[in-house]
Amino acid sequence: MTTCGDVRLTRTGRIGHIELDRPRAINALTHDMVRAIAAALDDWEHDDGIGAVLLTGAGERGLCAGGDIRAIHDDARAGGTATRDFWRDEYRLNARIARYPRPFVAVMDGLVMGGGVGVSAHASHRIVTERTQIAMPETGIGFVPDVGGTWLLGRASGELGTHAALTGCRLGPGDALAMGLADWYLPTDTVPALLAALGDVRVTGAAFDEHLGHLLQHLAAPEPEAGLGASRWWIDRCYADGTAEQIVARLSASGVPDAEDTAKTIGQRSPSCVKVALESVRRARRLPSLEHALDQEFRVSLRCLTEPDMVEGIRAQVVDKDRNPRWNPPVLEQVDDTLVDGFFAPLTDTDELGLGEDR
């Protein structure tokens, strides 16, 4: 076993095991953790002794609660470059995981939020448990879904992804499977058997892929019901098109208590970020690849760093914890199209992420 800061790297049989090891922070990602994961993937890609990569999180609370947003808050206040550099490497890692040439098995147990989605939901084999709670809660902290989240949510069935992007709601295992964010459902008490069986595999290549498929089929349980299933009809109707203001108006006038509560939830989020998130998901649907979506997210993310809502949102939710952010502008009606379009404007050549250039 090798420990690289808050990441444990272990080789067991043909498995390269990455364990996020920052349990007191629900394994929230730091830049050093991203670098350690990327370096391990570099080493194992060319190692004939590695048949697959396994990602898990230490502790009982979750795989990963996202990025270290307190550090992002401090950097944004100081006008620094640490967050920009972190996101550049993080988004490149997200794309790397999606294209990794060996099976990448992510156990999405417990909380999987923000950056945690980026290191797991692009994997080739994504496992959820009865404890899984997936969320992209960025609009509540003055930010917008990133780490390829707009690509994933934009491809979810109907308007479920739009609903998740604007509200930041938590998605259980049934929702994750129904929305294409996961592939397999395993009860938590079977996960140790999976890990042990993977460690005993002695083949690689196509034989490993076949063995892994049989193993997951053997251990998998019937898919649980999607929590949003009963709400699908009003979600699809209310979010289908139109502006953010029109969506909120439909929700409010629907006569459905859950939809009316959703309108209130959106009203508590950053108005600017609600509008930018809506536009981000809709634009992502028209993009040709994950890499192009990450390029778009990088532009939007850097613009969020310069807007007041990110610092204010993190202050209210994480620093002072008064849960009373003062958004600027304070309501959707005051966020004009020019402001929204500015989030998507090209960066200078030296700042662009440029992942889509190779696709």
Side-chain angles (χ1 to χ4, degrees):
M1 181 182 69
T2 302
T3 300
C4 300
D6 294 317
V7 176
R8 291 176 182 261
L9 305 173
T10 309
R11 293 179 58 136
T12 305
R14 300 289 189 180
I15 299 298
H17 184 181
I18 300 169
E19 182 182 39
L20 309 181
D21 190 25
R22 201 180 173 212
R24 292 183 63 182
I26 320 181
N27 304 314
L29 292 173
T30 65
H31 200 166
D32 284 344
M33 292 170 72
V34 167
R35 291 190 187 105
I37 297 168
L41 295 183
D42 286 343
D43 291 341
W44 292 340
E45 180 177 355
H46 305 290
D47 188 333
D48 292 336
I50 295 293
V53 173
L54 171 68
L55 176 72
T56 64
E60 299 295 322
R61 299 168 67 191
L63 172 67
C64 177
D68 189 340
I69 59 174
R70 183 181 286 268
I72 293 172
H73 167 272
D74 295 345
D75 185 54
R77 285 194 63 188
T81 61
T83 300
R84 180 197 64 193
D85 297 339
F86 167 57
W87 282 336
R88 186 181 295 277
D89 288 343
E90 182 184 25
Y91 296 2
R92 289 185 178 279
L93 175 63
N94 303 149
R96 179 79 185 284
I97 290 170
R99 308 293 180 189
Y100 202 62
R102 303 185 190 280
F104 193 113
V105 182
V107 181
M108 304 168 75
D109 183 40
L111 282 177
V112 185
M113 302 171 71
V117 174
V119 294
S120 61
H122 302 299
S124 61
H125 297 74
R126 304 164 298 178
I127 297 166
V128 289
T129 74
E130 74 277 6
R131 304 191 307 185
T132 296
Q133 294 288 313
I134 299 175
M136 299 294 290
E138 286 79 6
T139 56
I141 58 166
F143 193 36
V144 175
D146 66 334
V147 297
T150 61
W151 174 260
L152 294 166
L153 296 177
R155 276 150 184 76
S157 55
E159 295 296 332
L160 295 175
T162 311
H163 173 72
L166 269 57
T167 65
C169 66
R170 293 190 179 187
L171 307 168
D175 292 313
L177 291 161
M179 293 172 64
L181 302 175
D183 309 298
W184 301 90
Y185 174 69
L186 270 66
T188 52
D189 58 6
T190 65
V191 171
L194 171 68
L195 303 188
L198 287 175
D200 289 338
V201 178
R202 293 294 181 266
V203 295
T204 57
F208 187 99
D209 292 350
E210 183 177 359
H211 183 88
L212 176 59
H214 289 318
L215 180 60
L216 288 169
Q217 287 178 350
H218 174 70
L219 294 173
E223 294 185 5
E225 184 178 351
L228 291 177
S231 304
R232 173 71 183 271
W233 69 272
W234 61 258
I235 288 174
D236 284 353
R237 187 178 71 183
C238 293
Y239 288 92
D241 51 35
T243 64
E245 293 95 323
Q246 290 169 332
I247 289 171
V248 170
R250 289 190 205 115
L251 292 167
S252 298
S254 66
V256 180
D258 285 348
E260 294 168 358
D261 289 343
T262 296
K264 296 175 184 176
T265 296
I266 294 175
Q268 296 168 352
R269 307 306 188 227
S270 159
S272 297
C273 293
V274 165
K275 285 201 168 185
V276 175
L278 177 62
E279 183 68 11
S280 293
V281 170
R282 288 175 173 172
R283 290 191 184 208
R285 287 174 177 158
R286 303 192 296 269
L287 294 174
S289 70
L290 167 64
E291 286 79 3
H292 286 86
L294 287 163
D295 286 345
Q296 174 177 280
E297 290 174 355
F298 191 65
R299 296 184 195 109
V300 170
S301 295
L302 291 190
R303 295 291 168 28
C304 286
L305 273 179
T306 65
E307 294 294 321
D309 277 5
M310 173 173 274
V311 168
E312 173 60 13
I314 299 175
R315 177 207 65 76
Q317 298 297 332
V318 178
V319 180
D320 297 336
K321 299 182 180 179
D322 60 28
R323 308 292 192 265
N324 185 33
R326 296 179 290 275
W327 304 124
N328 182 21
V331 293
L332 289 170
E333 290 75 12
Q334 294 180 13
V335 182
D336 61 36
D337 292 342
T338 301
L339 175 63
V340 174
D341 290 342
F343 280 79
F344 298 90
L347 304 169
T348 64
D349 290 341
T350 56
D351 280 338
E352 288 283 1
L353 190 60
L355 289 172
E357 296 173 1
D358 298 327
R359 301 305 304 174

